[in-house]
Amino acid sequence: MCGRYTLTSPGEVVAEVFELVDVPPILPRYNLAPTQEAAVVRVVAPGAPRRLDPLRWGLIPYWAQDPAIGNHMINARADTVADKPAYRDSFRRRRCLVPADGFFEWKKVAPKVKQPYLIRRQGRLPFAFAGLWSSWHGPGAARPLETFTILTTSPNDLVRPLHDRMPVVLDRRDFAAWLDPKNRDAARLQALLAPAPAAGWEAVPVSRAVNDPANDTQECIEPLLAEG
């Protein structure tokens, strides 16, 4: 799964990687957690430019009666997303990129003790999770609540010792195909959702400060010093 991630790259770098028209004013986030607002890149209409918008993490389907359902829908399995009622409409028409430059997984090292690891590119460049978004109109709400989820797949060799799932990291060459709202080719879209190759990535043990979502400081991504 993916329950915490980072986006600390400057807006200029994010704009270049995601081919945005404008440089977004991004504040560094060292410990993004579910139900928080996070930056999402999407194309809201065929032919429209890519835009970066703040959406709440935890997808609320448009048909939901209770928005609390989103608290449990932070991830969607890539292998079933085309058919699950909660996700299939967004998979067809509302796909997005979730910019990140790291994500956390935890490894059990002792009874009741888990060590957090930060998984990131060795070059520290930002990348994109495959995401879906939705727009929910609550009773009496002045405007819709827009939310997103992150797709997960089987782990690669780097992540496997830490968890049995990992977020889908899209190849940059596939951004356009994933974002295109006219692309309804389910088989082609599903083929993009394979595990990212382990080469060029690293898993770094970091401070347990990241365990608390209230901590959103650089301490969360500082590598632990080797003992001895």
Side-chain angles (χ1 to χ4, degrees):
M1 64 178 295
C2 178
R4 305 283 179 81
Y5 68 95
T6 68
L7 181 58
T8 62
S9 301
E12 292 81 2
V13 176
V14 173
E16 179 182 358
V17 170
F18 291 89
E19 299 179 16
L20 303 175
V21 175
D22 300 313
V23 175
I26 295 179
L27 295 175
R29 297 297 309 275
Y30 301 97
N31 190 13
L32 275 158
T35 74
Q36 296 178 354
E37 281 197 344
V40 164
V41 174
R42 55 185 178 164
V43 174
V44 297
R50 297 178 187 180
R51 49 189 272 186
L52 187 145
D53 296 314
L55 274 63
R56 194 174 86 169
W57 186 9
L59 187 140
I60 305 173
Y62 71 90
W63 44 257
Q65 299 296 314
D66 185 351
I69 191 175
N71 300 342
H72 308 288
M73 300 179 68
I74 64 169
N75 293 151
R77 291 181 64 100
D79 51 334
T80 60
V81 73
D83 302 314
K84 289 274 189 175
Y87 302 115
R88 62 190 178 197
D89 185 65
S90 291
F91 180 71
R92 291 173 187 150
R93 302 189 295 121
R94 290 187 289 272
R95 299 176 299 273
C96 62
L97 305 174
V98 182
D101 44 33
F103 63 95
F104 298 97
E105 294 295 354
W106 280 258
K107 181 179 182 179
K108 187 174 182 179
V109 294
K112 299 183 180 181
V113 178
K114 291 186 177 182
Q115 172 60 50
Y117 281 77
L118 174 63
I119 295 94
R120 62 189 180 189
R121 290 192 187 278
Q122 291 175 349
R124 314 289 175 85
L125 285 175
F127 50 86
F129 298 135
L132 308 175
W133 67 276
S134 184
S135 184
W136 182 77
H137 297 259
R143 61 178 183 173
L145 176 60
E146 295 186 318
T147 60
F148 73 96
T149 191
I150 294 171
L151 273 59
T152 66
T153 185
S154 53
N156 60 23
D157 290 342
L158 179 68
V159 177
R160 189 172 295 110
L162 306 176
H163 205 280
D164 62 357
R165 303 289 295 175
M166 69 175 289
V168 174
V169 177
L170 290 171
D171 190 293
R172 189 171 175 178
R173 293 169 296 185
D174 296 325
F175 286 5
W178 182 254
L179 287 175
D180 184 0
K182 295 188 298 183
N183 186 359
R184 304 293 176 88
D185 188 337
R188 182 187 177 198
L189 292 167
Q190 204 85 48
L192 305 181
L193 306 180
W201 293 75
E202 61 184 5
V204 182
V206 294
S207 167
R208 292 191 180 95
V210 72
N211 292 354
D212 186 346
N215 295 330
D216 191 17
T217 67
Q218 192 166 352
E219 180 186 6
C220 294
I221 66 169
E222 291 294 335
L224 292 183
L225 296 176
E227 296 181 358

